[in-house]
């Protein structure tokens, strides 16, 4: 069974750094893309970017390029989303999800979400 | 890139059918840009209910169906049940450079 387990909720101050994680199990982690999706409070889903853990090929949505960094560590089957300097507007739920393939909009598997709260 | 356009809300009574539309531009819904639909209950992660415009994953009720014509994809839910009350999002792959996906703005379904 494929599982994506995300790290726990975070409460941070503006200007602080943060790295959240998404651990995959039940499949060959290196061989499947992992994407990240933001959901701000009371709002819809927004695509952030995607990484192929096998070679660290990473693609960002233009909206998030330069704002976050996506990475992965195949040795521990974990993908990451990190910020170097958080803003209050980064307050949101963040989901990792595994697409069927690089160009698919089909995401069968999702993490449970990580709530990030940033105070100004 | 703006979100795909969905109605903000739809409603229906138990047993009725409803349809949620998802409208994009030609580049959003090109021949190879297949649409998926997701259901999201409050406080939960999204759940895939339709992929490749009209296919249902194993375990998803056949009350859910999808279609696409031109620049509009549609999700139909027949025989509405109270448990169908949720937010629904369409999604399309739109860029071979950034591998970007585009979500619809979401539709809140209320079962009266």
């Amino acid at each position: 069974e494929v599982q994506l387990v995300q790290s726990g909720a975070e409460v941070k101050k503006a200007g602080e750094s943060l790295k959240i994680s998404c651990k995959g199990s039940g499949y060959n982690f290196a061989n499947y893309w992992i994407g990240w999706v933001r959901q701000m409070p009371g709002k819809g889903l927004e695509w952030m970017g995607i990484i192929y853990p096998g070679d660290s090929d990473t693609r960002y949505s233009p909206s998030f390029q330069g704002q976050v960094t996506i990475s992965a560590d195949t040795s521990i089957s974990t993908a990451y989303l990190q910020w170097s300097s958080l803003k209050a507007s980064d307050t949101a739920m963040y989901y990792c999800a595994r697409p069927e393939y690089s160009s698919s909009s089909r995401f069968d598997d999702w993490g449970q979400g990580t709530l990030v709260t940033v105070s100004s | 890139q703006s979100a795909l356009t969905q109605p903000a809300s739809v409603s229906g009574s138990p047993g009725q059918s409803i349809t949620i539309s998802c409208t994009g531009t030609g580049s959003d819904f090109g021949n190879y840009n297949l649409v998926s639909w997701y259901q999201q209950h409050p406080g939960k992660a999204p759940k895939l209910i339709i992929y490749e415009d009209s296919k249902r994953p194993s375990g998803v009720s056949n009350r859910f169906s999808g279609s696409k014509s031109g620049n509009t994809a549609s999700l139909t839910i027949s025989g509405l049940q109270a448990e169908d009350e949720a937010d629904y999002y369409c999604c399309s792959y739109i860029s071979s450079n950034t591998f970007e996906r585009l979500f619809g703005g979401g539709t809140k379904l209320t079962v009266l």
Side-chain angles (χ1 to χ4, degrees):
Chain A
E1 179 198 6
V2 173
Q3 280 196 309
L4 298 174
V5 179
Q6 298 185 229
S7 49
E10 301 275 0
V11 179
K12 292 287 192 179
K13 290 183 168 49
E16 292 185 331
S17 62
L18 175 65
K19 194 173 190 177
I20 63 174
S21 65
C22 169
K23 182 174 177 60
S25 62
Y27 70 100
N28 189 333
F29 180 79
N31 291 354
Y32 287 84
W33 294 83
I34 288 272
W36 287 93
V37 175
R38 182 176 80 174
Q39 187 168 38
M40 299 177 76
K43 301 298 184 182
L45 305 172
E46 297 175 272
W47 178 255
M48 301 180 72
I50 194 168
I51 187 167
Y52 187 76
D55 62 6
S56 295
D57 185 358
T58 308
R59 311 293 177 100
Y60 294 94
S61 164
S63 300
F64 290 91
Q65 178 80 48
Q67 308 304 308
V68 296
T69 300
I70 295 171
S71 60
D73 184 341
T74 55
S75 69
I76 53 172
S77 300
T78 300
Y80 300 98
L81 178 65
Q82 69 180 87
W83 296 258
S84 58
S85 180
L86 286 161
K87 310 182 192 71
S89 57
D90 292 318
T91 294
M93 181 72 83
Y94 294 87
Y95 294 101
C96 61
R98 192 188 80 154
E100 185 188 19
Y101 46 88
S102 64
S103 58
S104 174
S105 67
R106 174 183 179 178
F107 294 85
D108 290 83
D109 305 297
W110 293 72
Q112 82 277 20
T114 295
L115 180 62
V116 174
T117 304
V118 183
S119 59
S120 54
Chain B
Q1 179 77 48
S2 299
L4 301 171
T5 301
Q6 296 181 232
S9 63
V10 298
S11 63
S13 299
Q16 287 186 332
S17 295
I18 63 94
T19 296
I20 299 171
S21 62
C22 170
T23 302
T25 66
S27 60
D28 296 335
F29 284 166
N31 288 338
Y32 302 101
N33 295 356
L34 301 172
V35 175
S36 297
W37 288 90
Y38 296 87
Q39 176 192 62
Q40 187 181 33
H41 286 108
K44 299 293 188 183
K47 174 189 174 185
L48 178 72
I49 55 173
I50 294 289
Y51 67 98
E52 293 181 8
D53 298 343
S54 60
K55 297 178 182 177
R56 271 190 316 276
S58 173
V60 172
S61 171
N62 60 8
R63 297 186 299 104
F64 294 90
S65 62
S67 64
K68 191 172 80 181
S69 177
N71 293 343
T72 300
S74 298
L75 171 71
T76 297
I77 310 174
S78 59
L80 272 179
Q81 299 179 1
E83 69 211 48
D84 299 332
E85 186 161 298
D87 294 322
Y88 292 84
Y89 296 91
C90 58
C91 180
S92 178
Y93 171 82
I94 62 167
S95 170
S96 59
N97 287 331
T98 62
F99 289 6
E100 185 167 6
R101 280 71 171 169
L102 190 59
F103 287 97
T107 298
K108 168 69 178 174
L109 169 61
T110 301
V111 180
L112 303 170

